[in-house]
Amino acid sequence: MSQSSLNRRLTQIFGMLLGIGIAVWVLRGFGILSFMPGGIIWLIILGAIAVGIISYAQRTWWRL
């Protein structure tokens, strides 16, 4: 896997996780997904942040 395709994949995963996290958070706020624990939502959002940081680091710092 080349560096640009890896970065593209990481960016896509970041966007998907962030979108899912925000959508679940909003739906939970409306009471539709009220059964979902808040910890799960935070794990999704923190996972998105972690993937975003890894994507940024892979693009700028890691020249492998």
Side-chain angles (χ1 to χ4, degrees):
M1 184 177 278
S2 70
Q3 195 172 14
S4 63
S5 66
L6 176 64
N7 192 36
R8 188 175 322 122
R9 177 67 68 188
L10 286 173
T11 304
Q12 289 173 349
I13 292 171
F14 167 73
M16 286 189 307
L17 282 176
L18 192 62
I20 290 170
I22 291 172
V24 168
W25 189 25
V26 168
L27 290 174
R28 185 172 182 248
F30 286 142
I32 296 171
L33 293 177
S34 59
F35 61 88
M36 185 165 288
I40 300 295
I41 298 169
W42 280 110
L43 285 176
I44 293 171
I45 292 174
L46 290 176
I49 292 170
V51 170
I53 290 171
I54 291 170
S55 173
Y56 175 75
Q58 190 270 337
R59 184 171 20 112
T60 58
W61 296 332
W62 298 344
R63 299 290 182 200
L64 299 177

